[in-house]
């Protein structure tokens, strides 16, 4: 038991971290226990060899060469910080949402009349409602708006941008919706809604 | 930038490591060069002893300082510069060991053990009249190879403690491990080395 305790103290004895009482106890143990004393001497010789290894020489001009290399590295973009920052998805989603709103606004305010549509002169007298961003968007919902039905009744929770429009006939339009809610990695693709969902117009959701 | 030390202003030379690093963060290249000069020997020695490869150690040591420069704005003022520097050095040395293992371009454990064993035999029976300095050189090379046999996580702690002389607490900060784990690793490393070098030290009468 005392040998086990002694060997447990070897490292601290070498590192000079023992209390006075511990040191005195260990030295007294060494005096009476040749194996423990020999084991400690072997450890001490080993660590003397390790600690006595020569220091490597530094070649001349090391600091200047290092500075030159650091300058070159400093001029390059920092690969660590450039690696997929976490704010990118948030920014991308915000940008996509902004695009969706702007796109809807442009559709409403800047849409060109179609042949067979309503008279352009009526644009001035019409009160045009602003698009309302409601939530995640099933594809076919704005078909009602395209038909001129401004009510949102029965649309459920999923409509994106309701653009009631009584000015132009968009029955032949294809509406592109940038859908930020399904933003995820992968190839961009275009999905065209089924004819039942959009009997008079077509709607495409672009998901990234 | 200043190519020789004589042209470094005294004010820079007298600054603490931490103040110098603060100046490096403000794009002061003279401060950076001064820091390199202060620590180049220790960094080269550390990576050389961890890798037991002098040839690549200078390149790796340069990379350590380049990381310091590139990430100069990440240095937290108030923290000890040497701890930060040797954390980078230890990490790069660790990466280098693992890279070599992956590339299988490194001594296998068995091969190293054989080399160390051969050295022990050779040193145990020195030829009559063999140059004492040659014997010492061989002994040091054998010690270096024996250190290289110690498993990586124990070896790095051992070199930081028994060659570079860092405190346990500081080593814990560098390696991101508790002080008790540092002690345990160093204890294991010393035990392995002792077993490896015991025949050498006994025959050499050290």
């Amino acid at each position: 038991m005392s040998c086990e305790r002694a060997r447990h103290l070897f490292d601290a004895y070498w590192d000079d971290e023992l209390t006075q009482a511990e040191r005195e106890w260990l030295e007294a143990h060494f005096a009476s226990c040749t194996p423990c004393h020999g084991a400690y001497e072997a450890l001490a010789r080993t660590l003397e060899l390790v600690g006595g290894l020569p220091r490597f020489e530094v070649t001349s001009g090391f600091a200047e060469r290092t500075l030159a290399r650091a300058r070159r590295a400093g001029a390059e973009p920092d690969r660590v910080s450039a690696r997929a920052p976490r704010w990118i998805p948030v920014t991308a989603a915000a940008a996509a949402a902004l695009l969706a709103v702007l796109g809807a606004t442009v559709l409403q305010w800047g849409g060109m009349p179609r042949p067979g549509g309503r008279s352009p002169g009526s644009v001035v007298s019409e009160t045009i409602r602003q698009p309302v961003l409601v939530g995640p968007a099933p594809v076919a919902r704005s078909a009602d708006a395209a038909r001129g039905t401004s009510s949102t009744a029965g649309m459920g929770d999923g409509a994106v941008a309701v653009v009631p429009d009584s000015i132009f006939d968009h029955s032949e339009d294809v509406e592109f919706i940038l859908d930020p809610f399904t933003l995820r990695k992968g190839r961009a693709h275009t999905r065209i809604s089924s004819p039942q969902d959009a009997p008079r117009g077509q709607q495409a959701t672009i998901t990234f | 930038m200043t190519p020789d030390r004589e042209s470094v202003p005294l004010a820079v030379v007298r600054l603490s490591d931490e103040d110098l690093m603060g100046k490096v963060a403000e794009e002061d290249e003279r401060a950076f060069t001064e820091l390199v000069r202060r620590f180049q020997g220790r960094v080269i020695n550390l990576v050389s002893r961890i890798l037991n490869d002098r040839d690549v150690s200078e390149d790796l040591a340069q990379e350590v300082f380049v990381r310091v420069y590139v990430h100069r704005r990440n240095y937290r003022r108030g923290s000890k510069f040497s701890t930060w520097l040797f954390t980078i050095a230890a990490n790069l040395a660790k990466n280098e060991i693992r890279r070599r293992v992956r590339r299988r371009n490194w001594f296998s454990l068995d091969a190293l053990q054989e080399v160390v064993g051969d050295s022990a035999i050779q040193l145990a029976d020195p030829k009559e009249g063999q140059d004492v300095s040659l014997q010492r050189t061989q002994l040091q090379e054998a010690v270096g190879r024996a250190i290289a046999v110690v498993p990586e996580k124990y070896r790095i702690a051992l070199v930081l403690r028994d060659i570079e002389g860092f405190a346990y607490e500081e080593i814990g900060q560098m390696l991101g491990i508790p002080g008790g784990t540092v002690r345990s690793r160093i204890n294991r490393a010393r035990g392995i080395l002792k077993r490896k070098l015991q025949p050498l030290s006994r025959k050499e009468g050290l």
Side-chain angles (χ1 to χ4, degrees), chain B residues 81-140:
Chain B
F81 172 72
S82 62
T83 304
W84 188 55
L85 176 71
F86 284 96
T87 301
I88 295 170
N91 280 332
L92 285 180
K94 193 188 322 180
N95 291 346
E96 178 64 15
I97 292 169
R98 292 176 182 179
R99 190 182 66 84
R100 290 176 178 205
V101 168
R102 279 198 304 273
R103 291 179 62 191
R104 300 175 186 275
N105 186 23
W106 194 234
F107 295 113
S108 71
L109 187 64
D110 291 341
L112 268 173
Q113 284 169 339
E114 281 176 21
V115 172
V116 173
D118 291 346
S119 301
I121 294 164
Q122 188 182 353
L123 286 162
D125 300 309
K127 291 173 183 168
E128 196 70 32
Q130 190 176 12
D131 188 349
V132 175
S133 67
L134 179 62
Q135 283 182 46
R136 189 185 302 120
T137 303
Q138 288 177 337
L139 177 65
Q140 289 166 347

Side-chain angles (χ1 to χ4, degrees), chain B residues 46-52 60 64 67 86-102 106 151-157 159-160 171-177 185:
Chain B
L46 176 82
V47 295
S48 298
R49 291 300 175 199
I50 290 174
L51 298 174
N52 193 37
L60 198 63
V64 172
R67 296 285 175 103
F86 284 96
T87 301
I88 295 170
N91 280 332
L92 285 180
K94 193 188 322 180
N95 291 346
E96 178 64 15
I97 292 169
R98 292 176 182 179
R99 190 182 66 84
R100 290 176 178 205
V101 168
R102 279 198 304 273
W106 194 234
E152 168 210 307
K153 64 180 179 181
Y154 306 139
R155 189 192 325 163
I156 293 173
V159 173
L160 286 168
I171 296 170
Q173 289 171 9
M174 290 172 190
L175 303 182
I177 54 177
R185 287 186 182 183

Side-chain angles (χ1 to χ4, degrees), chain B:
Chain B
M1 213 15 255
T2 53
D4 35 60
R5 194 177 183 85
E6 287 70 30
S7 57
V8 177
L10 200 60
V12 171
V13 177
R14 284 179 174 170
L15 285 175
S16 70
D17 303 336
E18 290 71 28
D19 288 342
L20 276 175
M21 191 58 218
K23 285 194 165 294
V24 173
E26 295 163 4
E27 314 295 329
D28 187 335
E29 292 187 341
R30 286 177 305 186
F32 176 72
T33 308
E34 175 60 21
L35 274 177
V36 174
R37 287 192 177 116
R38 285 187 191 182
F39 287 95
Q40 58 189 9
R42 293 187 74 188
V43 172
I44 286 176
N45 205 59
L46 176 82
V47 295
S48 298
R49 291 300 175 199
I50 290 174
L51 298 174
N52 193 37
D53 187 344
R54 179 68 182 85
D55 293 339
V56 300
S57 61
E58 188 164 306
D59 185 63
L60 198 63
Q62 269 194 355
E63 183 60 27
V64 172
F65 289 110
V66 167
R67 296 285 175 103
V68 167
Y69 186 80
V70 169
H71 299 287
R72 57 194 178 277
R73 293 185 194 88
N74 296 345
Y75 172 70
R76 284 187 293 114
R77 288 184 183 240
S79 61
K80 197 172 176 185
F81 172 72
S82 62
T83 304
W84 188 55
L85 176 71
F86 284 96
T87 301
I88 295 170
N91 280 332
L92 285 180
K94 193 188 322 180
N95 291 346
E96 178 64 15
I97 292 169
R98 292 176 182 179
R99 190 182 66 84
R100 290 176 178 205
V101 168
R102 279 198 304 273
R103 291 179 62 191
R104 300 175 186 275
N105 186 23
W106 194 234
F107 295 113
S108 71
L109 187 64
D110 291 341
L112 268 173
Q113 284 169 339
E114 281 176 21
V115 172
V116 173
D118 291 346
S119 301
I121 294 164
Q122 188 182 353
L123 286 162
D125 300 309
K127 291 173 183 168
E128 196 70 32
Q130 190 176 12
D131 188 349
V132 175
S133 67
L134 179 62
Q135 283 182 46
R136 189 185 302 120
T137 303
Q138 288 177 337
L139 177 65
Q140 289 166 347
E141 286 172 358
V143 173
R145 287 193 296 268
I147 292 171
V149 178
V150 176
E152 168 210 307
K153 64 180 179 181
Y154 306 139
R155 189 192 325 163
I156 293 173
L158 175 98
V159 173
L160 286 168
R161 174 66 192 172
D162 289 329
I163 295 181
E164 292 305 321
F166 284 107
Y168 287 104
E169 187 185 345
E170 210 170 354
I171 296 170
Q173 289 171 9
M174 290 172 190
L175 303 182
I177 54 177
T181 309
V182 175
R183 288 175 187 278
S184 163
R185 287 186 182 183
I186 290 172
N187 176 267
R188 293 285 298 275
R190 286 173 173 176
I192 294 168
L193 263 188
K194 186 180 125 183
R195 284 193 295 279
K196 281 283 154 210
L197 296 177
Q198 205 155 7
L200 281 179
S201 56
R202 191 182 299 136
K203 295 292 181 184
E204 287 298 297
L206 295 170

Side-chain angles (χ1 to χ4, degrees), chain A residues 77-85, chain B residues 71:
Chain A
D78 185 351
R79 283 175 297 176
V80 175
S81 58
R83 196 184 302 150
Chain B
H71 299 287

